[in-house]
C-alpha cells in the first residue's frame, strides 16, 4: 500500500524554504508526495529584474512548478491572493487570502484530501513561523479541513469522507535564533526588524524546543532541497546564503527538520523520528 503525504503551504516558495528536505526524502523513499499552495505570491518582494504584482505571480507559478519537480512532488495550486506581511496595504484587499470566507479554502482542501487520500498532512505552525498572516491562516484552514474531510456529514458533495491519520506543523526551534538575536543586540543591530522589508521580528521566530515532537532526518534530501530553493530566483533563492555552502556541510549543520504533532494530540514527552512511524 503506497503511503501518501500532503504539504499545505501559503506561498510559492514555502515548500522549498520550509520542510523541503522532508518532502524530498519521502519522495525518494517512494512516498506519493503532494504540495498544495494556497496563494499566488503576488505580494512577495521581487528580486532586481523581476516584475511585481500579477507579473510576479506568473513568474512564481513557474518557479513553484519547477521546485515541486525538484522535490518529486505533485503540485496543486489554488491561487488565492497573497495578503502580504503584517502592515502591507494588501492586507485589506477583500480577496486577500486572510479576508476570504474561511469556508472556501477549507472546502478546497477537503476536496483535495478526499481525492488524494493522504496518510499524513503537514502545514505551517500556529505562529506561521514568523507571524506571517497567510501562514497562520493556512495553519487554521488546514486543521479545519483535516478534521472535516473525515466527517461524512460535512461537505457531502465533495466526495466520500476520508480521514488522514496525522496532522503535523512544520516549525523551527528558537534556541539558536535567540542566540543570534542576542549577538545582533551586542553588535548594535535591531533583531526585531530584519529581512528585506525589515518586517521580521527575530525574537518571535520559532518555538521553544520542548514543543517539538518530531525530528525527521533529511540529509539525503539536502541536494534536492537546495535545488528547489534555487528555482525561486524572484525571491533570491538562487543567491541565498546557503548557495555557497557545500551540501556535505549543510547535512552536518542541519541534519533534521522539526515538526509539532497536532493530531492525534501528542502526549507529554513524545519524541518521534518519522511522520509515519
Ligand atoms: Zn510564505
Amino acid at each position: 500500500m503506497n503511503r501518501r503525504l500532503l504539504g499545505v503551504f501559503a506561498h510559492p516558495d514555502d515548500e522549498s524554504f520550509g520542510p523541503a528536505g522532508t518532502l524530498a526524502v519521502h519522495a525518494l523513499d517512494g512516498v506519493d508526495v503532494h504540495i498544495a499552495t494556497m496563494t499566488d505570491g503576488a505580494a512577495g518582494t521581487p528580486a532586481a529584474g523581476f516584475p511585481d504584482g500579477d507579473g510576479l505571480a506568473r513568474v512564481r507559478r513557474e518557479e513553484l512548478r519547477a521546485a515541486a519537480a525538484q522535490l518529486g512532488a505533485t503540485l496543486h495550486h489554488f491561487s488565492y491572493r497573497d495578503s502580504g506581511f503584517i502592515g502591507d496595504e494588501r492586507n485589506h484587499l477583500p480577496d486577500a487570502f486572510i479576508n476570504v470566507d474561511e469556508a472556501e479554502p477549507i472546502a478546497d482542501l477537503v476536496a483535495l484530501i478526499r481525492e488524494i487520500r493522504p496518510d499524513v498532512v503537514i502545514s505551517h505552525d500556529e505562529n506561521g513561523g514568523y507571524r506571517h498572516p497567510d501562514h497562520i491562516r493556512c495553519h487554521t484552514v488546514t486543521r479545519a479541513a483535516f478534521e472535516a474531510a473525515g466527517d461524512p456529514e460535512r461537505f457531502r458533495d465533495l466526495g466520500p469522507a476520508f480521514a488522514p491519520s496525522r496532522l503535523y506543523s512544520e516549525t523551527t526551534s528558537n534556541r539558536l535564533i535567540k542566540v543570534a538575536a542576542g549577538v545582533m543586540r551586542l553588535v548594535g543591530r535591531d533583531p526585531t526588524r530584519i529581512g528585506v522589508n525589515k518586517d521580521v521580528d527575530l525574537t518571535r521566530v520559532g518555538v521553544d524546543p520542548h514543543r517539538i515532537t518530531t525530528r525527521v532526518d533529511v540529509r539525503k534530501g539536502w541536494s534536492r532541497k537546495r535545488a528547489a530553493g534555487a528555482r525561486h530566483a524572484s525571491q533570491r533563492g538562487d543567491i541565498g546564503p546557503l548557495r555557497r555552502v557545500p551540501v556535505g556541510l549543510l547535512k552536518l549543520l542541519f541534519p533534521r527538520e522539526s515538526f509539532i504533532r497536532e493530531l492525534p494530540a501528542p502526549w507529554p514527552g513524545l519524541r518521534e523520528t518519522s511522520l509515519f512511524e
Side-chain angles (χ1 to χ4, degrees):
M1 180 79 180
N2 200 7
R3 295 177 301 167
R4 292 193 196 91
L5 172 64
L6 168 64
V8 186
F9 304 101
H11 306 107
D13 76 10
D14 289 325
E15 78 300 329
S16 295
F17 300 153
T22 300
L23 300 173
V25 161
H26 283 91
L28 286 166
D29 285 346
V31 175
D32 186 15
V33 178
H34 293 256
I35 293 169
T37 303
M38 300 313 293
T39 76
D40 61 3
T45 304
F50 286 94
D52 59 8
D54 289 342
L56 180 62
R58 279 191 290 277
V59 169
R60 296 190 72 181
R61 173 173 286 272
E62 292 311 312
E63 290 177 343
L64 175 61
R65 204 188 304 272
Q70 282 294 331
L71 298 173
T74 303
L75 177 65
H76 310 266
H77 196 178
F78 289 103
S79 295
Y80 286 93
R81 188 192 279 268
D82 188 344
S83 315
F85 196 60
I86 298 167
D88 190 309
E89 61 192 22
R90 286 164 287 201
N91 291 174
H92 304 292
L93 293 172
D95 59 344
F97 183 51
I98 56 172
N99 296 328
V100 297
D101 181 353
E102 201 172 60
E104 204 182 322
I106 291 172
D108 286 337
L109 288 173
V110 167
L112 184 65
I113 288 169
R114 289 179 178 175
E115 179 197 332
I116 65 178
R117 304 169 74 85
D119 305 285
V120 172
V121 178
I122 62 181
S123 188
H124 302 278
D125 67 20
E126 85 277 359
N127 181 37
Y130 58 103
R131 295 188 304 130
H132 195 300
D134 283 327
H135 292 200
I136 293 168
R137 171 146 260 214
C138 190
H139 168 86
T140 311
V141 300
T142 303
R143 185 171 177 129
F146 182 99
E147 291 178 317
D151 184 344
E153 299 304 316
R154 300 188 60 197
F155 298 98
R156 298 170 79 138
D157 55 340
L158 295 182
F162 176 80
S165 301
R166 291 182 180 187
L167 176 66
Y168 287 93
S169 290
E170 57 124 343
T171 195
T172 314
S173 162
N174 63 13
R175 191 165 56 89
L176 287 177
I177 293 170
K178 279 182 170 169
V179 173
V183 170
M184 286 184 73
R185 284 209 170 92
L186 280 176
V187 299
R189 292 183 55 198
D190 182 0
T192 65
R193 295 174 56 77
I194 66 160
V196 182
N197 303 319
K198 305 273 179 244
D199 52 8
V200 176
D201 179 351
L202 199 59
T203 64
R204 297 184 66 178
V205 172
V207 299
D208 285 336
H210 75 267
R211 292 200 53 210
I212 294 170
T213 58
T214 312
R215 288 183 167 87
V216 177
D217 185 333
V218 298
R219 284 174 292 183
K220 77 177 177 189
W222 249 113
S223 302
R224 286 179 176 223
K225 176 176 173 131
R226 194 161 78 156
R231 295 297 177 276
H232 293 287
S234 76
Q235 305 304 303
R236 296 161 207 81
D238 57 335
I239 55 170
L242 297 186
R243 293 299 300 161
R244 278 176 235 115
V245 182
V247 167
L249 186 54
L250 292 171
K251 289 180 184 179
L252 268 177
L253 292 173
F254 309 107
R256 285 176 288 275
E257 288 174 350
S258 301
F259 298 86
I260 299 168
R261 195 167 101 183
E262 302 282 350
L263 295 169
W267 52 88
L270 172 68
R271 295 292 176 263
E272 302 174 316
T273 56
S274 165
L275 304 176
F276 287 87
E277 79 191 6

